[in-house]
Structures are given as C-alpha cells and as structure tokens.
Amino acid sequence: MDGGGGEKTQKSGILLLHNALIVTMDPTSRVLRDGALVVDGDRIRALGPSPDLLREFSPLADDVLDLHGRFLLPGFVNTHVHTSQQLGRGIADDVDLMTWLHERIWPYESHMTEEDSYLSTLLCGIELIRSGVTCFAEAGGQHVAGMARAVELLGLRACLVQSIMDSGEGLPANWSVHSTDSCIQSQKELFKKHHNTADGRIRIWFGLRQIMNATDRLLLETRDVAQELNTGIHMHVAEIPYENQLVTSTRGVDHGTATYLEKIGLLRSNLLAAHSVWLNDAEIGFFSNAGVKVSHCPASAMRMLGFAPIKEMLDAGVCVSIGTDGAPSNNRMSMVDEMYLASLINKGREAYIRGTTNPTAVPAETVLKMATVSGAKSVLWDNEIGSLEVGKKADMVIVNPFSWSMVPLHDLISSLVYCMRTENIDSVMCNGQWIMKDQKILNVNEQEVISMAMQASSDLLNRAGITLPKRMNFV
Ligand SMILES: [Zn+2]
C-alpha cells in the first residue's frame, strides 16, 4: 500500500510547540504549567517556559504551534503486543485456554502469510497510534519482514521478534519442523537484515515463545547470541500455574520458570519477561537483582492468567512496564485503557490477597511511569526515549483534556490515568515526524487498511478452518 503522504512530505525543520502542560517524566518528574518544547529534526532541542522559548526560537522556527493548554507527554511504550494477532480479534472470546490455543490461535497463526502479517500490523499500528503509542515491543509473530514493512510505513518505533519454538506438544505440522539451529539462524538473518532500519526506528530482538516450547539448548544459545549482538530477549514467563508445575517436575527446580531461568543464567537485564504472573518472593528477588524487565498486561491477566504480584515487584525495584498483549487475549490494543486497568487490577488484587482494599496501591504517577520511562527501559531504549528531555528523540503525544471525559481537571496527573480515553489523544509524533495529527492517521489510508484487513482476516479463517460456535438467536 502506498503511503498517504505524511512522513515523506513532512519537513525536518524546527518546530516550536508552546502553551502546553508538559509532563516530562524526567528523573525529577517535572511538569511545566506553561511549557514549550522545540523539535529540531528528530530530537528535542529545547524545553522550558513558553515565554523564554518563544523569544529564543520564534525567529528560527519553521512552524509554531500553540497547544492552548493541551497536555504534552512522552509517547507511550507498549511492551508486549502481538501485532500479527490483530486479524484474529474476536476468534477466541469466552473460551478456555486450551481451546484458545489449540483450536483458534495456533491454526490462525500457522496459516498466516507475510501479507497477512503486514496488514495485521498496519491495523494494530493504527490502534496503537490512536492510543498514544510511539514504540512497541512485538511479542513474536511468524513474519518479521511483514511487520517491519508495516512499522516502517506507519512511522512507529519497534523492537520486533520472531515467534520461536523448537519443541512442544501439539504444534501445527508446519511449525514442528523448526530445529534449534534454524531458530537461531533465522533470527540472526533477521537481525542482519532489519536491525536498525527505518531511520533507526526498527530493532530486532530474540524471541522465546515460552519455556514449554523451548529446549535447553535454545534457551542457552538465545541467551548467548542476544548478548553477543547486544540486543534483547522477549519471552512469555510464568503465565499459568501449569507452566510452573511442568518446569518443576521436568527441569529439577523447586518453583517454576523464573527459578529455572535464574539457574541457567538467562535472567539478565536484556530479558523482557512478559506477564510474570506466577512468581514467588524469591523469584521477584532474582528479577530485581538481575535487572529483568517485566511487561504487565492487566487485561489479558484478568481474562486468562491471574493476578501478577506487580506491587511487590515495584516495591522490590523491578522495572515494570505495560503491554496490551494480543487482540485475541484482550481485544483492545489501547495503552490508555491498559493504564487505567493497570491501576485498578492492582488495587483490586490487594483485597484478593490481603482481605482488605488498598486504594493507594499503584497510584497514577506510578502507572504513568510504567507506560513511559519504564517502558523505554524495558525495551532498552531509555537513553533516547521515554521522557521529554533535551537531546532525546522527539517521540510524544498531545492530549486534549478539554472534553466530557476529563474535565474539570482538578488533579491533572490522575486525570491522565483515571479519566483519559483513547479519544483524548489528539496528535502523536515519533522520531520528529507526526504520525497522527488532529486525530488523523497520516502515513496510511486508514479506511483502506480496514477494508483490506477485514478481507484478509476472513480469508485466513477459511484457510485455517476456524469456525466459531453460534451465540444467541440470530434470525
Ligand atoms: Zn503474549
């Protein structure tokens, strides 16, 4: 699909944004009431009070934008999303986990083409951008080339991984042939081809789908090759009690996946452990000591997995960020919704484990941090993104809070977590380029993507032989 203009036609000059409430998320949590920010090329050149920056930069700026008191935030980082599953939204609602996996998701994913993956990522990317995401960590799909093409076009920033499995029961026929060597080799090739492409917006990570689909050799070689290439590893960790039970009974450890990964030296600061729901206190300590990053996905946790000890992890100093997971596990790929849920699930969990509620648990500023700076740390990119600071990349979001959903704005920071809706996200910039402006997606034709994705999705379900049981009484 051709681009709809946007990126190619935007100037890379100096842009001055002023009269904004700037939530910097910098190390001192500065919030500028009447702030201005200067974008020069792909980076933030200056940040400060509007009168000062207007005086200094108005003569130099190619464009001056009055934000009329709207909010300016760093772009959100979604640290666990299956972009390839967007065409599978609604194929596995209200079913048990085994049906979800064996009868819906595996047939769906194993019948995808690269073109399906491209369209799925475009559709998912539109939803991500609309919810203020500028960077995401792919959780693992089959066709990285398709994802990369979509990310490049959309203008997003991403850490892409292939879905990697070299063992496991009941895998689709075309998946069970992957040897450990071919798993490592194909990722090395993807790294060579796509890492640091799209003006540096795309990075390639190594994937481990989950421990039940990984031999020891795959785990160890992934650990070593990722270290050698100085990149990250994205893995689903301790998702369900059964996983821990299996690891305990087959791999000779006393608790579960996290304990085993500690034993084999895979817990390192470049590991992004998605979900990490079933961790005990000792394992939280391992994560903290090793600098492991956790992606907390509250919606899919509530629906399929359980209550992760997020408060305990945060108290222990673990870097916890937020992910949406995939469309068949959550249905909504909105980081705005996920931030709201991240706060609620962890307040609710306090009643579940302690018998009494704790509305002070995981407050709004903590959730904002999880969605921005901690997200950037989780994807090993915090030297360039995650906060609005001079010298960092211009990845940011304009929020229009003056709507029925957010006024009267007594508590500006809490309003971003408890009141903000996806519809309050007004404009999104990534790498110094607008990718959504005044709620219009710029680099792709949104309607065209929607109709192509709907067609591709129904073709894919036909090929995969997925049929859904009827609900209610259609006449
Ligand atoms: Zn996942």
Side-chain angles (χ1 to χ4, degrees):
M1 177 180 303
D2 294 329
E7 187 168 12
K8 294 175 199 73
T9 58
Q10 286 182 35
K11 287 186 294 184
S12 296
I14 294 177
L15 167 67
L16 169 59
L17 304 163
H18 68 100
N19 193 12
L21 182 106
I22 304 183
V23 184
T24 65
M25 302 308 294
D26 72 7
T28 58
S29 303
R30 274 190 313 158
V31 179
L32 282 68
R33 280 190 180 278
D34 178 11
L37 183 148
V38 175
V39 178
D40 189 349
D42 60 0
R43 290 186 189 270
I44 298 167
R45 176 162 162 185
L47 182 76
S50 286
D52 297 356
L53 265 61
L54 274 169
R55 206 167 35 245
E56 190 180 345
F57 287 96
S58 287
L60 306 173
D62 300 288
D63 205 358
V64 178
L65 198 59
D66 184 344
L67 294 189
H68 300 287
R70 283 178 289 173
F71 298 178
L72 193 60
L73 280 85
F76 301 133
V77 183
N78 182 345
T79 57
H80 186 75
V81 53
H82 297 255
T83 59
S84 297
Q85 291 182 351
Q86 195 79 357
L87 301 185
R89 173 150 59 194
I91 65 168
D93 293 338
D94 304 331
V95 296
D96 65 76
L97 198 57
M98 285 301 124
T99 308
W100 187 92
L101 195 63
H102 292 276
E103 291 175 31
R104 309 288 169 82
I105 301 307
W106 281 357
Y108 164 87
E109 280 193 25
S110 63
H111 283 83
M112 279 196 110
T113 63
E114 187 184 316
E115 189 65 13
D116 291 332
S117 184
Y118 169 66
L119 288 171
S120 190
T121 306
L122 284 182
L123 187 65
C124 185
I126 288 169
E127 190 170 2
L128 295 179
I129 294 168
R130 287 203 168 279
S131 75
V133 169
T134 52
C135 178
F136 70 86
E138 165 65 39
Q142 313 306 317
H143 302 284
V144 172
M147 297 175 202
R149 203 151 46 96
V151 169
E152 176 155 21
L153 182 58
L154 288 160
L156 280 164
R157 189 183 298 285
C159 300
L160 301 179
V161 297
Q162 196 173 22
S163 173
I164 292 296
M165 301 185 252
D166 73 341
S167 61
E169 294 294 308
L171 288 176
N174 59 336
W175 283 0
S176 49
V177 294
H178 295 304
S179 67
T180 309
D181 288 336
S182 73
C183 286
I184 296 291
Q185 190 53 33
S186 77
Q187 293 183 96
K188 279 183 171 172
E189 284 162 17
L190 288 169
F191 186 88
K192 204 168 159 192
K193 190 163 178 209
H194 298 288
H195 189 70
N196 227 3
T197 57
D199 302 322
R201 287 184 283 109
I202 293 177
R203 290 182 177 175
I204 299 296
W205 280 34
F206 276 61
L208 289 165
R209 189 76 180 228
Q210 54 160 321
I211 199 160
M212 294 184 283
N213 297 111
T215 60
D216 274 1
R217 191 157 81 82
L218 180 64
L219 294 171
L220 296 174
E221 289 200 16
T222 301
R223 177 196 70 186
D224 294 342
V225 177
Q227 187 86 21
E228 196 182 300
L229 295 174
N230 195 23
T231 192
I233 300 171
H234 196 149
M235 178 181 185
H236 293 88
V237 173
E239 292 185 275
I240 49 173
Y242 173 72
E243 174 188 331
N244 277 350
Q245 287 155 16
L246 198 71
V247 170
T248 306
S249 63
T250 59
R251 305 209 192 214
V253 285
D254 64 4
H255 191 254
T257 305
T259 301
Y260 188 68
L261 297 180
E262 160 73 7
K263 185 180 166 189
I264 63 169
L266 211 141
L267 297 187
R268 295 181 180 185
S269 60
N270 69 338
L271 176 66
L272 175 54
H275 305 302
S276 302
V277 173
W278 300 95
L279 258 52
N280 65 15
D281 288 346
E283 291 170 328
I284 292 171
F286 297 153
F287 272 33
S288 176
N289 291 338
V292 171
K293 318 300 192 296
V294 169
S295 179
H296 173 41
C297 305
S300 76
M302 273 191 275
R303 178 162 152 183
M304 323 254 298
L305 309 176
F307 297 97
I310 297 302
K311 185 173 180 302
E312 290 82 343
M313 289 190 219
L314 290 167
D315 290 346
V318 176
C319 175
V320 182
S321 52
I322 298 176
T324 54
D325 211 349
S329 345
N330 175 355
N331 305 57
R332 302 177 183 214
M333 297 295 99
S334 166
M335 272 294 279
V336 174
D337 292 350
E338 221 61 26
M339 283 161 59
Y340 178 58
L341 292 176
S343 185
L344 289 189
I345 187 176
N346 290 298
K347 294 180 196 318
R349 177 177 172 270
E350 291 290 301
Y352 167 69
I353 57 165
R354 290 180 227 288
T356 174
T357 56
N358 180 5
T360 69
V362 190
E365 49 270 59
T366 301
V367 173
L368 275 179
K369 196 176 160 201
M370 290 162 77
T372 54
V373 267
S374 297
K377 281 183 187 151
S378 296
V379 297
L380 310 174
W381 220 323
D382 53 307
N383 61 329
E384 293 199 303
I385 61 168
S387 58
L388 299 178
E389 293 178 74
V390 172
K392 280 199 167 183
K393 293 281 191 179
D395 285 17
M396 55 199 189
V397 173
I398 297 172
V399 174
N400 177 9
F402 306 112
S403 76
W404 59 268
S405 54
M406 290 181 73
V407 292
L409 298 168
H410 292 303
D411 186 336
L412 298 171
I413 298 304
S414 78
S415 76
L416 288 166
V417 174
Y418 302 130
C419 308
M420 183 166 71
R421 312 291 172 99
T422 303
E423 293 80 358
N424 291 106
I425 305 287
D426 197 63
S427 300
V428 179
M429 173 178 279
C430 181
N431 216 33
Q433 303 283 334
W434 294 113
I435 54 176
M436 181 170 83
K437 189 81 190 299
D438 302 324
Q439 301 207 321
K440 183 175 170 17
I441 297 283
L442 292 182
N443 295 332
V444 294
N445 182 324
E446 188 172 344
Q447 277 312 316
E448 204 176 308
V449 171
I450 289 170
S451 54
M452 289 170 78
M454 285 180 73
Q455 183 62 50
S457 178
S458 57
D459 292 349
L460 173 54
L461 258 60
N462 282 338
R463 279 202 309 280
I466 298 170
T467 51
L468 305 185
K470 293 270 176 287
R471 290 192 199 240
M472 299 185 73
N473 181 28
F474 279 75
V475 291

